[in-house]
Amino acid sequence: MYDYDLFTIGAGSGGVAATRRAGGYGARAAICESSRVGGTCVLRGCIPKKFLVYASHVAEDLEDAAGYGWSISGVSFDWPTLIRNKDTELDRLNGIYERMLSNAKVDVLRGRGRLIDDHTVEVDIDGQARRVTAERILIATGGWPEMPQIPGIEHAISSNEALDLDRLPERIVIAGGGYIAVEFAGVFARLGVDVTIVIRADHLLRGFDHDIRLHVEQEMRRIGITIRSACKITEIRQAGNHYALDTTDGVTIDTDTVFYATGRAPNTRGLGLEEAGIHLRDNGAIAVDDYLCTAVPSVFAIGDCTDRNNLTPVAIAEGRALAETWFNDNPQIVSYENIATAVFSQPPIGTVGLTEEQARLAFANIDIYRSAFKPLKNTLSGNEGRTLMKLIVDRESDRVVGCHMAGPDAPEIIQGVAIALKCGATKAQFDDTMAIHPTAAEEFVTMYQPVAAAAE
Ligand code: NDP
């Protein structure tokens, strides 16, 4: 008899979702965590980041106010107040997570877990090793910021520290052009920081639709962000109270803060995984099959430590699917098709389905519908920001296979459209849907003329 039916290592979104649901179904469940309960999303990622994004949008709203007749004077912004309020809310959320686990009768062990064998985990609790056994072990240890090992990299901060800076720097250089880099670039720029992004590629946001990438770059430049493409930082030197960054361009950039957002690595080191027979991929990600099972039949893994779709809702869905399968006699396999995603850049991006580039490879003939416009809200305000919306349609089946937007409210709008794509909606059904007027979202049901077609 094992101590538990399920033992989970890592109390982030995925681990908590699985273990809590297991406990809710009456399983004897426990979880260990070396930090606070909540994981990256709640404590160091999505949620605190979104608070900063909200704060930065206030700056834009204040600028827009004059055109709508408001005169606002004596405006000031206090970064420490924002950080303090953010931390208070995170404490509250941490408390909610703790309560959810205790309500589901899940034991929480406060320490780092290490796999000993197929059914045993050792948890280091304040230097005391405690061994527990479980019928099933779930690894949900997430990821951690990764930086290239260049000289002076110890001076760089990651997103972890960016969320807790004591004060706003005057200048910041952000290395990387993915989700985290563009989101923080927008936040800092709107809050008045001089922002430079340095990317090794020609464009930001590899993997996103090309038109969207270009549009967001243009909008980011419009709000004052400098983007240095095809460039890498080769050395970070401390120069008095600031930093000098040598680059492959031959240009040296002076800055107050260097922020690396060059991807996240699976958090799998020191967990005893390979010793226990679990296969890791080259980048340290845990290899799992369709049922989220590792090479050891009693050990499973979900979320960012498997480095597949590194998104909170995916980790949660995976965790719940396992708990349903094991403890509710309700076998489930997660569907990874048409996962909608958002980047909270300025403007934000919402996207679901294939990019134009992917669709051209997947289908013989596609039609592209595109609409670029100034949102109605930006007319009186004089705000020069523009929105881009795009639909990609497989001509043979008439199915909408990709839907992309960069503009205000894009993530909110795309979440709804994602349901339609998941249901296999056709362009004719989009057209048959009555518009809500006046909105930006209505463009998705009123695009009549394709702008480009794949090779005829
Ligand atoms: P991403 O993988 O999105 O982007 C990494 C960026 O760093 C790319 O621009 C990449 O360039 C660049 N890069 C990688 N290695 C180097 C290097 N050695 N030197 C210079 N540049 C390098 O990683 P992020 O850190 O932005 O985010 C990690 C993950 O977190 C995301 O993939 C996403 O899954 C998740 N996330 C999701 C969010 C959301 O849903 N809104 C928000 C934040 C994070 P290149 O393009 O050339 O490869």
Side-chain angles (χ1 to χ4, degrees):
M1 178 77 167
Y2 300 111
D3 298 331
Y4 293 104
D5 300 317
L6 172 65
F7 190 91
T8 302
I9 305 180
S13 301
V16 168
T19 321
R20 183 183 160 216
R21 190 157 289 200
Y25 287 134
R28 293 169 308 135
I31 195 165
C32 72
E33 172 60 58
S34 54
S35 171
R36 292 203 298 167
V37 169
T40 299
C41 173
V42 177
L43 301 171
R44 293 177 294 277
C46 321
I47 301 296
K49 176 273 310 286
K50 191 84 188 269
F51 289 136
L52 303 198
V53 170
Y54 283 133
S56 67
H57 279 300
V58 175
E60 188 180 11
D61 290 341
L62 287 167
E63 276 177 31
D64 288 353
Y68 283 99
W70 293 89
S71 47
I72 301 172
S73 56
V75 173
S76 65
F77 170 71
D78 186 50
W79 172 264
T81 301
L82 170 62
I83 297 303
R84 198 171 51 247
N85 290 347
K86 179 255 309 172
D87 287 341
T88 304
E89 178 58 16
L90 296 192
D91 288 345
R92 194 183 72 85
L93 292 175
N94 171 246
I96 289 176
Y97 264 65
E98 301 254 359
R99 271 197 301 285
M100 286 186 321
L101 288 170
S102 110
N103 289 346
K105 304 209 169 5
V106 171
D107 288 344
V108 180
L109 279 66
R110 304 201 182 261
R112 195 174 159 76
R114 201 165 63 85
L115 200 59
I116 300 297
D117 63 34
D118 299 15
H119 293 283
T120 312
V121 175
E122 186 174 275
V123 186
D124 177 355
I125 305 171
D126 295 332
Q128 299 281 320
R130 177 173 160 201
R131 286 195 177 191
V132 287
T133 59
E135 184 178 358
R136 294 185 181 93
I137 294 169
L138 177 62
I139 301 171
T141 46
W144 198 253
E146 183 155 83
M147 300 182 189
Q149 290 311 306
I150 59 162
I153 195 69
E154 66 277 8
H155 299 303
I157 63 165
S158 72
S159 52
N160 293 345
E161 295 79 33
L163 290 163
D164 282 325
L165 290 173
D166 292 341
R167 58 185 181 83
L168 269 184
E170 276 177 33
R171 300 167 296 179
I172 193 166
V173 170
I174 304 179
Y179 281 83
I180 295 177
V182 298
E183 291 183 338
F184 276 92
V187 165
F188 286 127
R190 288 278 188 210
L191 295 180
V193 179
D194 178 344
V195 179
T196 300
I197 290 193
V198 178
I199 50 169
R200 64 183 180 182
D202 289 334
H203 297 288
L204 298 171
L205 293 169
R206 185 193 296 278
F208 283 76
D209 185 272
H210 193 65
D211 283 335
I212 294 288
R213 297 170 74 183
L214 297 188
H215 180 80
V216 170
E217 274 179 18
Q218 178 190 309
E219 289 296 304
M220 287 175 69
R221 288 197 164 104
R222 196 183 53 72
I223 64 168
I225 296 169
T226 302
I227 302 170
R228 298 189 78 94
S229 54
C231 177
K232 278 174 101 168
I233 298 166
T234 51
E235 182 168 358
I236 303 169
R237 288 181 287 112
Q238 177 124 37
N241 59 359
H242 68 280
Y243 298 104
L245 314 183
D246 296 331
T247 67
T248 48
D249 275 357
V251 173
T252 297
I253 311 171
D254 284 328
T255 189
D256 304 312
T257 304
V258 194
F259 175 178
Y260 265 73
T262 44
R264 294 173 61 85
N267 220 345
T268 54
R269 263 179 247 147
L271 293 175
L273 300 180
E274 283 178 300
E275 297 87 324
I278 287 173
H279 296 162
L280 301 184
R281 304 207 313 264
D282 287 349
N283 66 349
I286 300 172
V288 289
D289 64 15
D290 290 348
Y291 305 93
L292 304 164
C293 189
T294 69
V296 175
S298 56
V299 180
F300 297 75
I302 57 171
D304 289 10
C305 64
T306 64
D307 193 31
R308 300 181 315 158
N309 296 281
N310 297 339
L311 298 166
T312 299
V314 173
I316 292 174
E318 290 177 340
R320 288 184 178 159
L322 289 179
E324 288 292 328
T325 304
W326 294 332
F327 305 115
N328 192 33
D329 199 16
N330 176 21
Q332 286 190 2
I333 291 187
V334 175
S335 159
Y336 299 99
E337 241 181 61
N338 285 325
I339 297 175
T341 179
V343 185
F344 295 95
S345 43
Q346 319 245 351
I349 301 170
T351 172
V352 59
L354 303 181
T355 63
E356 179 177 340
E357 299 73 41
Q358 291 167 331
R360 285 192 188 283
L361 294 175
F363 298 100
N365 290 298
I366 56 168
D367 284 321
I368 307 295
Y369 296 81
R370 196 187 298 127
S371 178
F373 57 95
K374 190 180 215 193
L376 186 61
K377 188 185 171 198
N378 290 359
T379 51
L380 297 199
S381 66
N383 186 325
E384 293 296 327
R386 290 177 68 77
T387 288
L388 177 70
M389 294 165 78
K390 189 167 170 184
L391 286 180
I392 297 154
V393 178
D394 166 32
R395 199 182 296 164
E396 198 176 323
S397 64
D398 195 41
R399 276 182 58 179
V400 178
V401 295
C403 182
H404 310 276
M405 175 173 178
D409 303 323
E412 306 288 343
I413 292 169
I414 291 293
Q415 180 69 86
V417 178
I419 302 170
L421 257 71
K422 201 79 189 163
C423 296
T426 60
K427 179 65 169 65
Q429 289 169 321
F430 269 61
D431 295 345
D432 196 34
T433 303
M434 206 60 81
I436 301 174
H437 185 70
T439 62
E442 69 181 305
E443 288 293 314
F444 276 132
V445 295
T446 55
M447 291 191 212
Y448 291 124
Q449 287 296 327
V451 291
E456 302 283 324

